[in-house]
Structure formats: structure tokens, C-alpha cells
Amino acid sequence: MEFLRKFKFPARSKSPLFVFTIAGVAITAVTSSSAVSVFRDSTSIHNPNKIATAVEGVVRSSRAIYAITVTVADYKYSLRRVTADSDEYLQRLTEVHARSAKRILKLCESNKGFYVKAGQFVATLKLVPKEYSLALSSLQDQAVPCNFQDIKHVLTSNLGRNFSDIFLSFDEEPIAAASIAQVHHAVLKDHQEVAVKVQYPGLKQNMKLDTMIMSFLSKSVVKIFPEYRFDWLVHEFVKSISQELDFIQEAKNSERIATNFKHNKMITVPTVFWEFTTAQVLIMQFCKGFKVDDVEAIKRTNLSPGKVAKLLVEVFAEMIFVHGFIHGDPHPGNILVSPGGQNGFSLVLLDHGNCKTLDEGFRQDFCRLWEALILLDSTKIQELGTRFGVGQYAKFFPVIFTGRTSDSKSGLGKGMSIQERQKLKQEVKLLRLEDVTTFMGSLPPDFLTVLRTDGLIRSITLKLSAPQRVRLLAYAKYAVYGLGYNPTSEPDFVEKSIISRSVMLVSYIRLRLILELMELFQGVKKLKHTICTFYGRVVDGITRCVKVSSVTSIV
């Protein structure tokens, strides 16, 4: 959603400030409403001090209220009485973005726990200014491990057995630490190597307070800025976080994804050890590998970043368009590249707490949308936009997903021409704050889930230097497959009849053929235009020479 970043807010005092970037602040407030902070630095979990816990809750809430209030005031008073189209406005806007991003970053670092997760969430959104995404991206590696004694207590209290009765060895230093849990390497009594994911103590107890405070902040901002319409994110995010706190649900999600990809030998999902799994503890098979965006490691093991990127986009395309069951948090730490095997490598999918089942009607319509996007069928795009509830704003779908306008003359994955960019810039200038918030607020929740997942995948493929066309063609392929897939009668995507699979393949070949013919036709038109232009210049040059010669001979 790069084009949304250029959107400007009116500089009027009554309709002020939050350039589309109130999104950054507002969404931080929203996600923070789900921020279940971890009191790891206070009293021990073995003997919790309720007074200390209450005081800490007030302190954290006060920090949040202060940060949001100051940010709101900063935007309001820094941008008032400044013309929105002036250079001064743009300069002030950039300065406010930078100050506010640092303020929100400090809030997340101070409150820790799910506030860190909230900041990470905001950093991945395409609709926030780069000042926010750059500042908050530093939170990816800021999780502080919990005291091992508290982790050990959670393990023993959940599993109901002595530590030594379960593990032959256990590394006290975590191999990974996130905002809600940390992971340790261990060996079970039967010598099986496992990864032990343990939830930080005290999370659920504090969710209600954080939700109440941040919900209050969100409603308060709405009263100050009626144009602000991001409160609809609260419910979805809280629902998502609640699922992540249930490791039993995560284990079920993991097994569902493993079943969906049982046909693909290049995809690995760690096996769950159910006898050692509870709502707060998840023990699974230990898988070795390195982060999917670690280009140096990929090249060091003689693998191709391009092949890794292609497999990655195909896996998530299959999730979105065929299975309708998505891994909602595909950041590099949750996807590993494991060298070896008959294909040279495999992808290991980790952390299935944030998974979502797409509505079947939405999945089918989204498949149709991508088919229309590839073929630039503006009529079909508008029709589907109406069904998605965004009406006239559907014309921006091609820009959001494919990087070109609906009347683009550029080939797939080649971006926009200078003329197309200028036209789009003029259209974006006409947008008001109400237009943008209406567009985002009207999208189905499933659409927002897909948007965020797609944004994370795009970010990884960019680091792997994969051409955009790789992603676009993979999405087109699985969109066509998804239209021919019926989950009720065909539970296994691959174990379909030969005839059914052949029909899907023919449909995809037909789409590719149409696409190639369109691009060939556009290329011929460009070549014709170039030849005609060159011919015209040659004729003009010859004509001028003849005229000069005629004048000279007369003289």
C-alpha cells in the first residue's frame, strides 16, 4: 500500500493532523489493547505480590495514556495553520512522524511483553509511514528472556511431573525469546531432541486491564478526530492474541498445516508431543535451519535465494487460495531453511499460534480478484470490490497488490510508467482522510489478514532479490487452482482425480497464454509506436535537409 503513504491530511484545526499516519498511533493503541504485559522484572511468580502487580499495571497504563496523548497533541499543534500542499507542511509532517515513532518505540520498550508485540505488528503494516516502520522494526530482537526459575515453575506446574522425570537434558539459555513465550532446546528421556516453548507467567491475568485502558484511549482519539476509524481493529486483534495464548490451539493449527502440506516434501512442520503439551507449554520436534531471509547462509550452503523465494510464495499462495487456512505471522524467525534432502532444502514452518481460517465465500472471491488483477479486468475488479464492500476504492486493488494501475500498459511485475505514476499521484491527492479510513474499515477482516500476510511475504522476497513477477505468477497459479478446489468434497488438494487436476492445469495454462498474448500485443504496440516515431523523425530530418538544399540552390 505504498500509494497510501503519499496521502495528506487537511491542515484545518478542526479536521487536523494525523496524516494517514494516525494509523501508526491508532493501531499501536489498538494492538496495545491486546498487549498483555509480562511482569518479569517484578516479584517472583511463585509468590506474587498483588499490590506490586496493581501498581505496575497503573504505571504501564499511565505510560500508554501519556504517550498517546502527547502524540495526538503533537500532530494537532505542529500542523495547524500550515497549508497542506506547502513544503513547510511536508517538513513538519516528517518531523512529527519521527518524534511520534520514537515516542511509541519508547512506550513499547518500557512496557515490554505484548507492547513489544504490538510494535512489531505495526512495523509490518504497509499503511503506516516509513518513520514508524523503521523505528518499530527494531523491536524484532528486543524480547528479554524470562528468569529460568520462573520458566521451570511453569513447566513443572503444567506437566505435573518433576523436571528430571521428563528431560534428559535441558538448556537453560533460550534459543529464542518472543513477546509471549521463549523456546529452549532439550532432550527427552527417550533421547528425542525437542524444542520447548514456554509461555511467560502472568500474561492472562493482566489482559483485562490493558484492554480496558487501550480501548478507552482508542475511543478518546475517535472523539478528538471523528475521521479516525481504526477502532474496528480492536476486536480482531484481541481475538488473534487470545488464540496465541492457547498453545493447545497452536498445536492443532500446526497439525492442520502439516496435513495440508503432506504432499509437499519440501515443507516441514515440527511434530507435536501431545503428552507434554498444555495451554502454556508446547513441546515439539527440534528442527535445524537458518532464517529464510539469511541470504549469506543460503549462498554459503550453495542454495539459490531465487528458488527459496519461489517455494516460499508458492507455499503461502497455496494457503491463501487453496486451503483457506493461513499462517498469519510469517516473519523470518518463523520460517527456516533446512539444507538437505532430495530437493536440496526444505522450509520449516514454526509458530502456528496466529493462524486463521478464511471464509469460503471470501476465498473464492479472492481467487476471482487475483485472476482479474492479472488480466487487468477493471469491470470484474470493480464488481468484486463492491462485494468486498469498498465500492469505488476497488480501483486501487491493482496498485496495492501488483504495483500497477488498472489501465496500465506495463507488463506484469514491471511496475508503472512515469505517466501512470503521475496520474495515480493526482488521484491520491484528491483522497480525504474519510476516504482512506472508510476504505480500510470496509474491508472484510479476512482481507486484512491476507494483506498483512502478503506484506510480510513481499518483504522476505525483496530481501531474497526475487523479481516481483515470481510472486504474481505464483498467486495467479494458485488462484486458478483455488477456483477449481472444493474443500467439502475434496479434502486433499493433491489427491484429486486426474481429470480435476488436469482441468485446473488447463485453466492456468489458458490464463498464462492470455497474459503472454496481452504483453506481446502491448510490446508490439510499443514497437510500432517506436518505429513510427523514429520514421517520423527521419522524414522530418530529410524534409529539413531538402528545404535547406533548395534554399541554398536558389541563392
Side-chain angles (χ1 to χ4, degrees):
M1 281 202 229
E2 200 67 33
F3 78 99
L4 290 177
R5 297 186 183 181
K6 300 176 182 178
F7 177 72
K8 299 177 183 178
F9 282 59
R12 299 169 298 171
S13 59
K14 289 186 178 181
S15 181
L17 68 137
F18 280 154
V19 191
F20 186 62
T21 59
I22 188 172
V25 178
I27 293 177
T28 301
V30 171
T31 52
S32 295
S33 71
S34 306
V36 189
S37 297
V38 185
F39 299 150
R40 297 187 294 239
D41 299 326
S42 60
T43 54
S44 172
I45 192 64
H46 305 300
N47 184 26
N49 187 320
K50 293 183 179 180
I51 296 179
T53 298
V55 170
E56 181 67 14
V58 171
V59 171
R60 289 183 301 106
S61 299
S62 299
R63 288 194 195 111
I65 293 172
Y66 173 78
I68 301 300
T69 302
V70 171
T71 299
V72 169
D74 196 359
Y75 275 99
K76 181 174 181 179
Y77 293 106
S78 296
L79 300 177
R80 63 176 182 171
R81 298 174 185 172
V82 182
T83 305
D85 293 329
S86 66
D87 292 338
E88 183 184 1
Y89 180 89
L90 294 176
Q91 182 179 349
R92 287 194 186 186
L93 185 58
T94 301
E95 292 171 353
V96 179
H97 285 342
R99 288 197 300 269
S100 300
K102 289 180 181 179
R103 198 176 294 120
I104 299 303
L105 174 61
K106 184 177 180 181
L107 169 64
C108 295
E109 290 175 334
S110 299
N111 281 1
K112 300 180 182 179
F114 263 83
Y115 279 85
V116 171
K117 191 171 187 65
Q120 293 171 347
F121 180 80
V122 173
T124 63
L125 294 175
K126 294 295 181 182
L127 57 104
V128 299
K130 62 180 180 180
E131 287 82 5
Y132 284 94
S133 57
L134 288 174
L136 297 177
S137 62
S138 65
L139 292 171
Q140 292 292 346
D141 302 314
Q142 295 241 347
V144 179
C146 182
N147 181 281
F148 179 70
Q149 290 305 313
D150 288 344
I151 290 296
K152 186 175 181 180
H153 177 75
V154 173
L155 277 167
T156 54
S157 62
N158 272 267
L159 300 180
R161 297 163 65 178
N162 292 329
F163 207 70
S164 58
D165 292 337
I166 304 172
F167 302 105
L168 188 64
S169 65
F170 194 101
D171 294 343
E172 295 187 8
E173 191 69 26
I175 56 176
S179 51
I180 67 171
Q182 62 190 51
V183 180
H184 292 259
H185 174 264
V187 178
L188 297 176
K189 277 290 189 177
D190 60 0
H191 298 278
Q192 293 190 81
E193 199 173 7
V194 294
V196 183
K197 184 175 181 178
V198 186
Q199 190 176 119
Y200 296 130
L203 290 180
K204 292 184 178 180
Q205 293 86 332
N206 304 297
M207 178 179 270
K208 184 178 291 187
L209 175 62
D210 286 333
T211 302
M212 179 182 68
I213 293 297
M214 294 307 155
S215 179
F216 164 76
L217 282 174
S218 180
K219 292 176 182 177
S220 298
V221 173
V222 172
K223 290 181 180 179
I224 299 173
F225 306 103
E227 303 92 338
Y228 161 68
R229 288 292 178 271
F230 286 96
D231 48 332
W232 42 267
L233 275 176
V234 175
H235 175 72
E236 284 299 316
F237 196 82
V238 171
K239 182 179 178 181
S240 172
I241 295 303
S242 299
Q243 291 177 344
E244 287 195 57
L245 292 177
D246 184 358
F247 286 178
I248 292 179
Q249 183 59 50
E250 178 177 344
K252 292 178 180 178
N253 293 341
S254 174
E255 290 196 335
R256 181 173 175 181
I257 288 181
T259 299
N260 288 343
F261 285 100
K262 66 181 181 181
H263 64 278
N264 194 332
K265 302 304 180 184
M266 296 186 72
I267 300 301
T268 300
V269 178
T271 303
V272 175
F273 290 79
W274 280 104
E275 65 270 32
F276 302 122
T277 295
T278 69
Q280 292 181 296
V281 175
L282 174 58
I283 296 184
M284 64 207 113
Q285 171 191 4
F286 182 81
C287 297
K288 297 179 180 180
F290 43 82
K291 289 184 179 182
V292 69
D293 66 343
D294 190 342
V295 179
E296 290 186 6
I298 291 174
K299 291 181 177 179
R300 192 166 55 246
T301 49
N302 296 320
L303 297 176
S304 166
K307 288 184 178 180
V308 172
K310 186 175 184 295
L311 177 61
L312 176 69
V313 296
E314 287 187 343
V315 167
F316 279 87
E318 187 172 332
M319 285 186 190
I320 294 170
F321 297 104
V322 180
H323 304 157
F325 187 67
I326 308 177
H327 187 305
D329 193 20
H331 67 74
N334 287 339
I335 307 172
L336 305 181
V337 176
S338 180
Q342 64 182 53
N343 297 303
F345 73 98
S346 63
L347 290 183
V348 182
L349 304 182
L350 305 173
D351 194 353
H352 308 284
N354 185 8
C355 289
K356 183 166 184 177
T357 302
L358 300 180
D359 174 78
E360 179 58 17
F362 170 83
R363 185 188 69 80
Q364 289 279 340
D365 281 342
F366 197 67
C367 288
R368 296 186 183 97
L369 174 63
W370 263 92
E371 189 176 32
L373 289 172
I374 295 299
L375 299 178
L376 288 178
D377 186 343
S378 56
T379 302
K380 190 68 175 179
I381 291 172
Q382 186 59 52
E383 176 189 329
L384 290 165
T386 301
R387 292 172 68 168
F388 286 133
V390 298
Q392 61 177 328
Y393 306 113
K395 66 181 179 181
F396 293 117
F397 281 160
V399 181
I400 293 170
F401 287 111
T402 69
R404 57 179 184 167
T405 58
S406 56
D407 56 352
S408 176
K409 299 298 185 293
S410 301
L412 187 66
K414 296 182 180 179
M416 292 180 281
S417 65
I418 296 176
Q419 293 79 6
E420 289 167 355
R421 288 182 180 277
Q422 290 174 343
K423 182 180 178 181
L424 177 63
K425 187 175 181 180
Q426 292 302 318
E427 290 181 353
V428 171
K429 280 185 176 180
L430 298 176
L431 291 176
R432 299 167 299 166
L433 173 60
E434 293 89 340
D435 295 324
V436 179
T437 55
T438 298
F439 169 71
M440 296 302 297
S442 300
L443 289 172
D446 286 351
F447 207 111
L448 297 171
T449 300
V450 171
L451 268 178
R452 181 169 183 265
T453 300
D454 176 58
L456 289 166
I457 295 302
R458 267 201 261 191
S459 176
I460 295 174
T461 56
L462 183 63
K463 290 183 179 179
L464 295 175
S465 301
Q468 185 180 195
R469 188 180 173 88
V470 171
R471 167 182 152 272
L472 297 177
L473 288 178
Y475 280 20
K477 175 181 177 180
Y478 284 93
V480 172
Y481 285 1
L483 284 172
Y485 171 68
N486 187 340
T488 56
S489 61
E490 300 162 318
D492 193 307
F493 170 51
V494 169
E495 294 176 4
K496 295 164 63 67
S497 68
I498 296 176
I499 295 177
S500 184
R501 278 184 286 170
S502 298
V503 169
M504 290 192 295
L505 180 59
V506 169
S507 296
Y508 174 62
I509 292 174
R510 170 183 166 274
L511 178 66
R512 282 297 302 271
L513 181 61
I514 294 173
L515 177 63
E516 297 298 338
L517 287 175
M518 286 174 59
E519 294 189 354
L520 177 62
F521 178 70
Q522 290 174 353
V524 170
K525 286 179 66 178
K526 287 181 180 179
L527 179 61
K528 179 181 178 182
H529 176 73
T530 301
I531 293 174
C532 289
T533 302
F534 176 75
Y535 177 75
R537 289 176 179 174
V538 170
V539 171
D540 288 342
I542 294 173
T543 302
R544 283 196 298 270
C545 289
V546 170
K547 287 182 179 179
V548 171
S549 299
S550 299
V551 172
T552 304
S553 53
I554 292 173
V555 172

